[in-house]
Amino acid sequence: MIVKVLNSITASVLLLAALYPASSPANASGEKCPARRPLSTKEQRAFLDTLQMIKSAMPPAPEGWTSQEPDSSCSAPALVCDTPGFPLESACQVSFTNEKRILENIQKFERSKSAGRMERLAAEMSDAAEKGDSKKLLKLQEELDGLNATPAGKMTARILVRINHIAAAGNIRGGSEFQLPGAKFAYRIEDKKGGKLALYLGRWNRRGEFGVYPEIAKLASNVSVQLIEVIIEGDIAEQLAKTMDLKVLNLLIQ
């Protein structure tokens, strides 16, 4: 039973990765990179140093919560665009779990008749994530949330840091401004599953009340960090945001 519930939680994490992919082949103007090349040894070392700084900026787990090691996405990409104006994209995600609430959820769940369906949902979500089918993932997630006795945001939280992700530009739907020292822009986003914040550092600008767009330095090195977006999900999102070391992240901006 415990494995089934944990599998469903893992599947929920896959949803965030699918909704916020690590990279995009286009620049701020929508142009596609004409050719890519492998990173040099020096570039790889520099980017690995960047990822280490991102990891060091992650907040400690709040009382009653446990933080997991950054997932496999937290690594340097193998290729970079050989044309200026296409900054190298990457991402790093860390998850947090509240084991006490998970066990309480399991105890409630054991008395329900939905165990088999939850196990099948976890498998279906994993398959949809591998195929990149975010629409199906969202639909399955809604059904999974309905089966859980405890909302996912009370049991799990996650932080996704995306570097140079130009595709993040757009309007923050259902958002309200969130004051956070160190963030150029910060928004609280309405989410029925729990708290959600979006933070923007670096070369972002704002259009209107809830529109953000990148202003990259076209002649800068493509391995430089110009844009940082941080997505934080879970009921402890604001606590995590306030204890995250945004000064360290701002030091990365070039």
Side-chain angles (χ1 to χ4, degrees):
M1 177 60 68
I2 293 176
V3 172
K4 293 175 182 177
V5 177
L6 291 178
N7 282 345
S8 73
I9 293 171
T10 300
S12 181
V13 172
L14 290 173
L15 177 64
L16 184 71
L19 293 180
Y20 300 100
S23 62
S24 168
N27 64 9
S29 301
E31 301 170 331
K32 293 186 177 180
C33 171
R36 296 178 181 273
R37 62 169 176 79
L39 272 72
S40 68
T41 301
K42 182 179 179 180
E43 289 171 335
Q44 287 178 339
R45 281 199 302 265
F47 213 81
L48 287 174
D49 288 343
T50 293
L51 294 175
Q52 282 300 122
M53 289 185 70
I54 292 173
K55 292 177 185 179
S56 71
M58 293 294 182
E63 185 177 355
W65 292 75
T66 302
S67 62
Q68 311 297 318
E69 286 295 317
D71 64 16
S72 58
S73 69
C74 198
S75 58
L79 301 174
V80 62
C81 188
D82 202 26
T83 303
F86 293 83
L88 183 64
E89 299 180 6
S90 188
C92 193
Q93 178 175 291
V94 173
S95 59
F96 300 79
T97 56
N98 188 307
E99 295 179 3
K100 180 181 178 181
R101 292 177 183 172
I102 290 173
L103 290 174
E104 290 174 349
N105 187 63
I106 290 172
Q107 291 169 356
K108 294 176 182 178
F109 187 76
E110 285 176 335
R111 296 192 290 269
S112 75
K113 299 179 181 179
S114 305
R117 181 54 184 153
M118 178 174 278
E119 186 174 21
R120 290 192 296 273
L121 275 173
E124 290 174 28
M125 289 180 73
S126 179
D127 181 63
E130 289 180 4
K131 295 177 180 178
D133 191 344
S134 59
K135 289 184 178 180
K136 185 176 181 179
L137 265 175
L138 280 171
K139 185 176 180 180
L140 293 171
Q141 179 68 53
E142 288 178 359
E143 185 177 349
L144 181 65
D145 290 340
L147 294 178
N148 272 318
T150 304
K154 292 186 178 296
M155 297 185 293
T156 65
R158 41 196 175 255
I159 299 175
L160 175 66
V161 179
R162 299 198 295 181
I163 303 296
N164 295 334
H165 195 79
I166 293 170
N171 292 323
I172 308 299
R173 297 180 180 178
S176 59
E177 198 160 2
F178 177 67
Q179 297 298 323
L180 184 66
K184 188 170 186 179
F185 307 116
Y187 300 97
R188 184 186 290 107
I189 302 172
E190 296 176 7
D191 192 325
K192 61 183 179 181
K193 295 188 289 294
K196 185 173 181 179
L197 299 175
L199 317 178
Y200 297 89
L201 293 74
R203 293 178 177 273
W204 295 99
N205 211 330
R206 186 155 64 180
R207 183 184 292 112
E209 189 175 6
F210 300 117
V212 293
Y213 64 93
E215 290 188 330
I216 63 170
K218 293 184 178 180
L219 298 181
S221 165
N222 279 349
V223 296
S224 64
V225 177
Q226 301 189 48
L227 307 164
I228 296 179
E229 180 192 34
V230 182
I231 302 294
I232 309 178
E233 293 189 334
D235 281 10
I236 57 171
E238 291 191 18
Q239 184 177 355
L240 292 174
K242 291 175 181 178
T243 54
M244 193 171 186
D245 196 341
L246 297 186
K247 290 182 179 180
V248 169
L249 295 185
N250 277 307
L251 289 174
L252 295 171
I253 303 296
Q254 298 180 26

